[in-house]
Amino acid sequence: MIEEVLALVDRASAEILEVYRSGDFDVALKGDASPVTRADIAASEILVEGLQRISGLPVVSEEATIPFSERKTFTKFWLVDPLDGTKDFLQRDDEFTVNVALIDNHEVVSGVVAAPALGIKYFAQRNAGAFRIDQEGRSKVFYKTDRTNRICADSRFHSSEQTGTFCERNGITEVLKSGSAIKMCKLAEGLVDVYPRFGTTMEWDVAASQIIAEEAGCCVVDLGTKQPLRYNKEDMRVAGFIAFPKGIEFFW
């Protein structure tokens, strides 16, 4: 099924790029004051309809949420952020993504992260590895680096003082700011060495990139429970997490 999902993500990405290149974003503000564009809505419609058609499973999208009274009965479902990094999209910095994850019994088991403007896709399935697709083809990704210094990934729009404190505590002097789920994918490729997220995000922001990082040899841990993230909670907010390679210790 992963090939069908990749094809659906390509369709959604093409719709997003058409809006991106037109400059006609038709921006509105949602109830939490976050922006939404016609690209978000169009991509969501493509993904929700397509994923339901190819799998018969329910789909929870940021732009088509489902009440917990219904969600709590789901054991397996798709979790979608049709345009992660809308602020990056509006700023035209190209680091926005399409995130699609398959959740099974509260755990992510498959995921796709596409960066349409960069021409890159990442995908992973549990126990089957993580991969990158670009103009040169398809290649396996695994965290590996020869650097002696550590690089910390940080959000371009949601940085915090706690990230600076974390870096000081761990002797990290270099910080790479990026948008959307790209940060976790950079970790998977070994371009950064740790990604601490202090502050609230949402389940659909994290799930797809979590499985990519994990299948590339990394861990993604809830800052509160010190356990892997779990999905389909009544409150779909994620209070904070840290993503890092297995075998490397960080203090937080």
Side-chain angles (χ1 to χ4, degrees):
M1 190 184 299
I2 191 66
E3 297 301 329
E4 292 176 285
V5 176
L6 288 167
L8 270 178
V9 169
D10 284 344
R11 282 182 54 206
S13 296
E15 190 72 24
I16 289 169
L17 282 179
E18 183 176 337
V19 176
Y20 189 56
R21 290 164 178 161
S22 76
D24 180 15
F25 298 156
D26 193 17
V27 184
L29 292 180
K30 296 189 287 189
D32 62 357
S34 62
V36 61
T37 72
R38 66 186 181 95
D40 297 73
I41 303 302
S44 183
E45 290 174 352
I46 289 169
L47 293 167
V48 171
E49 184 279 328
L51 291 168
Q52 288 175 334
R53 174 171 43 79
I54 66 176
S55 68
L57 294 172
V59 182
V60 177
S61 168
E62 179 180 7
E63 310 309 336
T65 56
I66 296 175
F68 183 65
S69 58
E70 183 178 350
R71 277 194 295 109
K72 68 181 180 181
T73 66
F74 297 170
T75 56
K76 195 171 186 179
F77 69 99
W78 297 98
L79 184 59
V80 172
D81 190 340
L83 181 48
D84 182 26
T86 301
K87 290 181 179 178
D88 296 278
F89 181 87
L90 295 172
Q91 292 283 336
R92 291 183 170 276
D93 64 21
D94 290 355
E95 287 191 334
F96 51 88
T97 60
V98 180
N99 304 341
V100 176
L102 181 61
I103 308 299
D104 190 355
N105 288 311
H106 304 285
E107 296 181 355
V108 56
V109 296
S110 180
V112 176
V113 173
L118 301 177
I120 303 169
K121 288 194 298 288
Y122 302 86
F123 72 93
Q125 298 179 91
R126 180 69 68 208
N127 300 321
F131 297 83
R132 169 183 166 132
I133 302 174
D134 55 30
Q135 61 183 4
E136 296 183 2
R138 186 174 299 199
S139 57
K140 194 165 187 177
V141 295
F142 198 85
Y143 174 86
K144 185 179 181 181
T145 180
D146 296 324
R147 290 187 305 272
T148 55
N149 63 304
R150 301 292 183 210
I151 301 175
C152 178
D154 192 16
S155 171
R156 182 176 290 113
F157 294 104
H158 304 285
S159 186
S160 70
E161 291 183 7
Q162 290 167 291
T163 302
T165 301
F166 171 88
C167 288
E168 290 177 9
R169 186 175 185 187
N170 288 278
I172 298 172
T173 58
E174 187 172 352
V175 175
L176 180 63
K177 290 184 179 288
S178 301
S180 67
I182 286 289
K183 296 182 286 297
M184 199 95 79
C185 296
K186 287 182 177 179
L187 172 66
E189 292 191 281
L191 300 177
V192 301
D193 305 290
V194 62
Y195 171 31
R197 172 63 186 243
F198 299 100
T200 302
T201 187
M202 301 300 295
E203 290 185 5
W204 47 69
D205 294 317
V206 186
S209 58
Q210 177 187 342
I211 186 71
I212 291 164
E214 289 176 341
E215 286 298 307
C218 301
C219 305
V220 183
V221 176
D222 185 297
L223 284 174
T225 67
K226 307 295 191 295
Q227 299 296 318
L229 299 177
R230 290 180 65 79
Y231 294 90
N232 203 27
K233 305 183 303 296
E234 181 171 4
D235 183 347
M236 299 188 80
R237 288 178 293 183
V238 177
F241 62 85
I242 180 170
F244 57 95
K246 294 177 181 176
I248 299 180
E249 187 175 14
F250 292 94
F251 302 97
W252 68 87

